Amino acid sequence: MDVQRISARIGLVFSLTLAIALPAPVSAQSATGTIQGKVVDTAGNSAIAGAQVFVPGTLIGTLTDAAGAYTLENVPAGGQVVAVRLIGYRETRRSVTVVANQTAVLDFSLEQTALRIQDLVVTGVVEPTPQVKLPFTVERLSASASAMRVAQAHPDYNTESYARIDENDFRLVSASPLSTFSIDVDRASYANVRRFIQAGERPPADAVRIEELINYFPYEWDDVSADHPFAVETEVWDAPWKPEHRLVRVGLRAPYVETGHLPPSNLVFLMDVSGSMSSPDKLPLLKKAFALLVEQLRPHDRVAIVVYAGAAGLVLPSTPGNQRGKILQAVQQLEAGGSTAGGAGIALAYDVARKNFIEGGNNRVILATDGDFNVGASSDGEMVQLIEKERESGTFLTVLGFGTGNLKDSKMEQIADHGNGNFHYVDGLLEARKVLVEEMGGTLLTVAKDVKLQVEFNPERAAAYRLIGYENRLLHDEDFNDDTKDAGELGAGHTVTALYEVVPAGLPVPRGSVDPLRYQPTADPPPVEEAATSTFEDELLYVKVRYKAPDGTESKLLAHAVSDRVTSPSGGFRFAAAVAGFGMLLRDSPHAGDYTLDDVIGLAELGRGTDPRGYRGEFIRLVETARDLKLLGTAAIEDRQR
């Protein structure tokens, strides 16, 4: 039986990696054209499906369809080389001249060759055909593989990376009356913090993103009106760690959508099967997590699986969701080995998603990895450009992080943000169930995109304010009205909470002093009569929210005035404040003052409520663990109290 018939029978198509070297950046104004053609087998002149066609040294590439046809778009004008690769065939390259705004035709005939085991760097996956299986997993040793083996030999070896966070300080209302930021529905930081504490370790300060800790938990608010896809609510209370200050909650909530009512999904799972994914908390956990999602799929949903290690390959073409056995078998036979060609994997996954695009559906690439992209197109800028381009076509990105010791948190968060998606860290099967089953609607269905908040503070009521968290989501004030600026996405069932600590007018502001300005005039205070009749006399702040429909280009506006009246807080507000206080303590924030872990526990108990899933109870136990193990130490606490 020849190689082509074997490939057809077992349903396996593996494509090799794109060339490692990247070209010089191409100007956005560069002229481009298109290359089209067909790939056939030399022996029988039959069409070859699933061959990888690409321009070496770039991210321009695609797969041939069932008729062997391919199309390469946006190819820079001039002389180009096009390559075709497929396991079982000799790689073929041909030159072509691309003319701007024209289509060049370039056909290929591939010659069958012996299947060389040394060419493979990822595990073969067979379809449910009992007669034929691929029993091998072969690895090409690389720098990343060497590092992985060092990590296995030395358990303390750690290459995790986190983006630096400079905590928001108080801003004077007189100088900066506006606060503008993008929402954040990521929850990865909380699960990651939990992982550290359960291991008896204090998490790195930069691993603690307070807004993600707060937004990990669901909150119950009023019903959503018919005019907008989410509701906006506010509350004002005394700050628990500084009672003379105000604590303001701004909350957004999108209604939950039952799985059966979700639009059809076109999902492409992009799975990292590199050597660094071999530990039990990575690829083995990913397989179990994926199985949970597969049980939720419907007949009109479709799933494809792309894997990457030293190469990127399509191991399951787009398959109806009710073919669970076929889907699960493709996943369960994956094994880890090789380096990590993340850039090639992302390019291939988007190509598969594009070819199976569902109009009006949920089109999404779901990347599951420990975050290491170190072979091929691995630069952050290169991948961000690709992801931003694809999001404009309606294909969004979700990132699932796995494992310890190699977690590239900063990179995964960045590409999820640019892909109009969300980032989750999966530290166990319960978290996988929360993300992929309980919150499937929010994880997979976007109800509003580019959601931005802008808060204006009334100088008659507020002297200063600070936004708690969201440091890497801050926007320029003028970005709020600019519909070309990207912002966060809100999924079905998502709740978003933002907390502001506000210094009331007349109280000293806890920040460094600034000399009086020489050239700015000092405004006279308004007459008493005018102040008394002010239209905004009782307003503390004014909240504005802009968002777009998932397929929209123009934003809509919501606005909401907040009175300067302290009320009895809801249970959700108490709990959110407790979580914020815990995050401040983990980060050794100077704004935490004399606040303690016991204070956090007491406040969280008051806001625990019914807690049907037990998430709030788990949080309380987590804080108790940090307290009992003395993970915060005593020196940091003493420094804050001085």
Side-chain angles (χ1 to χ4, degrees):
M1 182 179 296
D2 62 31
V3 173
Q4 187 179 15
R5 293 205 304 274
I6 293 176
S7 296
R9 182 166 184 177
I10 65 176
L12 170 65
V13 178
F14 271 134
S15 50
L16 298 183
T17 186
L18 297 175
I20 293 176
L22 293 176
V26 178
S27 168
Q29 286 75 34
S30 296
T32 61
T34 301
I35 304 174
Q36 289 183 342
K38 189 173 182 180
V39 180
V40 300
D41 184 293
T42 301
N45 202 33
S46 56
I48 298 178
Q52 185 174 357
V53 185
F54 62 97
V55 178
T58 75
L59 282 179
I60 300 172
T62 188
L63 296 177
T64 56
D65 61 18
Y70 73 90
T71 300
L72 298 176
E73 298 177 337
N74 299 317
V75 182
Q80 298 289 352
V81 173
V82 179
V84 181
R85 283 177 174 173
L86 180 62
I87 293 296
Y89 291 89
R90 192 179 309 281
E91 178 182 327
T92 303
R93 298 191 177 204
R94 293 188 61 190
S95 298
V96 64
T97 299
V98 178
V99 179
N101 301 318
Q102 295 187 23
T103 299
V105 177
L106 189 65
D107 295 330
F108 289 85
S109 295
L110 300 190
E111 178 185 356
Q112 293 184 19
T113 185
L115 189 66
R116 299 186 304 162
I117 297 301
Q118 64 266 29
D119 286 341
L120 298 179
V121 291
V122 292
T123 300
V125 177
V126 302
E127 291 202 14
T129 304
Q131 295 92 332
V132 182
K133 291 188 178 181
L134 297 183
F136 49 80
T137 301
V138 183
E139 176 184 349
R140 177 186 295 130
L141 189 60
S142 64
S144 66
S146 299
M148 184 267 294
R149 292 188 177 174
V150 171
Q152 292 174 337
H154 304 279
D156 294 333
Y157 184 83
N158 193 313
T159 63
E160 295 188 9
S161 64
Y162 300 91
R164 178 176 174 81
I165 297 176
D166 293 318
E167 186 178 21
N168 292 329
D169 203 351
F170 281 100
R171 305 182 69 181
L172 295 175
V173 174
S174 58
S176 304
L178 294 176
S179 171
T180 309
F181 65 99
S182 163
I183 68 163
D184 182 7
V185 296
D186 293 345
R187 286 88 177 271
S189 182
Y190 179 82
N192 195 27
V193 164
R194 177 177 61 199
R195 182 254 298 188
F196 276 103
I197 293 176
Q198 289 178 341
E201 302 176 27
R202 180 174 182 168
D206 290 331
V208 181
R209 295 186 289 272
I210 296 179
E211 72 278 6
E212 294 187 21
L213 269 60
I214 296 171
N215 290 324
Y216 180 85
F217 302 93
Y219 300 94
E220 295 298 329
W221 295 323
D222 291 342
D223 292 336
V224 176
S225 70
D227 297 332
H228 302 283
F230 56 88
V232 180
E233 289 195 2
T234 55
E235 288 185 85
V236 180
W237 188 34
D238 295 328
W241 47 85
K242 195 81 169 177
E244 60 268 32
H245 291 178
R246 301 278 193 266
L247 188 65
V248 180
R249 176 185 70 86
V250 179
L252 279 63
R253 182 180 72 86
Y256 177 77
V257 177
E258 295 287 347
T259 301
H261 296 153
L262 293 172
S265 293
N266 163 35
L267 306 178
V268 179
F269 267 82
L270 175 57
M271 296 185 172
D272 183 350
V273 293
S274 62
S276 65
M277 290 288 289
S278 60
S279 60
D281 59 347
K282 295 185 181 180
L283 185 58
L285 175 59
L286 169 56
K287 291 180 181 180
K288 296 175 183 177
F290 184 83
L292 295 176
L293 175 63
V294 170
E295 291 302 317
Q296 308 301 311
L297 296 176
R298 303 157 300 177
H300 53 280
D301 296 325
R302 301 192 68 85
V303 177
I305 300 174
V306 173
V307 298
Y308 68 91
L314 178 67
V315 298
L316 180 74
S318 189
T319 302
N322 59 348
Q323 296 186 19
R324 294 188 177 94
K326 180 178 180 180
I327 297 170
L328 289 174
Q329 187 168 11
V331 173
Q332 293 308 319
Q333 296 190 54
L334 293 175
E335 296 181 17
S339 53
T340 48
I346 288 177
L348 179 57
Y350 273 119
D351 186 66
V352 173
R354 193 183 312 114
K355 290 181 176 178
N356 296 281
F357 192 86
I358 299 175
E359 290 291 342
N362 168 37
N363 299 278
R364 186 173 296 263
V365 172
I366 302 177
L367 168 61
T369 177
D370 60 0
D372 207 0
F373 302 91
N374 54 17
V375 171
S378 61
S379 74
D380 292 351
E382 189 80 14
M383 282 189 289
V384 164
Q385 290 177 17
L386 171 67
I387 290 165
E388 287 181 337
K389 173 187 173 184
E390 295 294 343
R391 80 180 181 210
E392 298 303 322
S393 66
T395 299
F396 292 176
L397 176 69
T398 290
V399 180
L400 305 178
F402 288 81
T404 64
N406 194 46
L407 187 69
K408 300 299 184 286
D409 176 272
S410 54
K411 180 172 290 189
M412 288 190 285
E413 183 192 23
Q414 181 188 32
I415 63 174
D417 292 346
H418 286 277
N420 277 4
N422 36 57
F423 171 37
H424 301 269
Y425 175 72
V426 181
D427 61 340
L429 206 54
L430 291 179
E431 183 66 14
R433 188 179 190 281
K434 180 177 186 289
V435 173
L436 297 175
V437 178
E438 296 174 12
E439 300 174 354
M440 182 179 177
T443 302
L444 301 182
L445 177 62
T446 298
V447 299
K449 70 178 182 179
D450 293 339
V451 184
K452 297 176 279 191
L453 276 82
Q454 187 170 79
V455 178
E456 180 182 357
F457 292 86
N458 182 0
E460 294 183 10
R461 291 286 181 167
Y465 64 89
R466 72 179 185 95
L467 175 61
I468 301 176
Y470 294 93
E471 285 84 2
N472 60 359
R473 301 300 181 114
L474 300 180
L475 299 173
H476 297 295
D477 293 338
E478 58 270 24
D479 292 342
F480 183 73
N481 292 324
D482 185 351
D483 282 352
T484 67
K485 294 293 184 180
D486 181 56
E489 280 60 52
L490 190 66
H494 275 163
T495 57
V496 176
T497 294
L499 299 179
Y500 281 95
E501 183 176 351
V502 181
V503 180
L507 293 185
V509 178
R511 67 193 299 269
S513 62
V514 178
D515 291 339
L517 297 177
R518 180 180 180 87
Y519 300 107
Q520 299 298 320
T522 302
D524 294 329
V528 176
E529 299 80 15
E530 181 182 341
T533 58
S534 171
T535 305
F536 314 119
E537 178 186 6
D538 294 331
E539 291 184 10
L540 177 62
L541 52 89
Y542 190 60
V543 177
K544 294 182 291 184
V545 183
R546 281 199 177 275
Y547 72 94
K548 299 174 190 171
D551 57 352
T553 57
E554 295 185 4
S555 65
K556 299 180 181 180
L557 175 68
L558 289 80
H560 181 66
V562 180
S563 299
D564 187 15
R565 286 195 293 270
V566 174
T567 59
S568 178
S570 65
F573 192 7
R574 291 180 189 272
F575 190 81
V579 178
F582 183 50
M584 290 161 57
L585 292 174
L586 289 176
R587 291 189 52 80
D588 273 340
S589 170
H591 302 296
D594 296 335
Y595 213 57
T596 66
L597 292 177
D598 283 328
D599 294 327
V600 170
I601 294 168
L603 185 57
E605 288 283 10
L606 291 175
R608 184 171 183 168
T610 56
D611 193 23
R613 296 291 185 183
Y615 297 138
R616 297 186 183 185
E618 180 200 56
F619 169 79
I620 293 170
R621 292 190 295 274
L622 199 67
V623 180
E624 291 173 338
T625 299
R627 178 197 60 188
D628 296 344
L629 295 178
K630 296 181 172 57
L631 295 185
L632 299 190
T634 57
I637 297 174
E638 292 172 354
D639 287 343
R640 283 200 317 274
Q641 294 176 344
R642 287 195 185 103

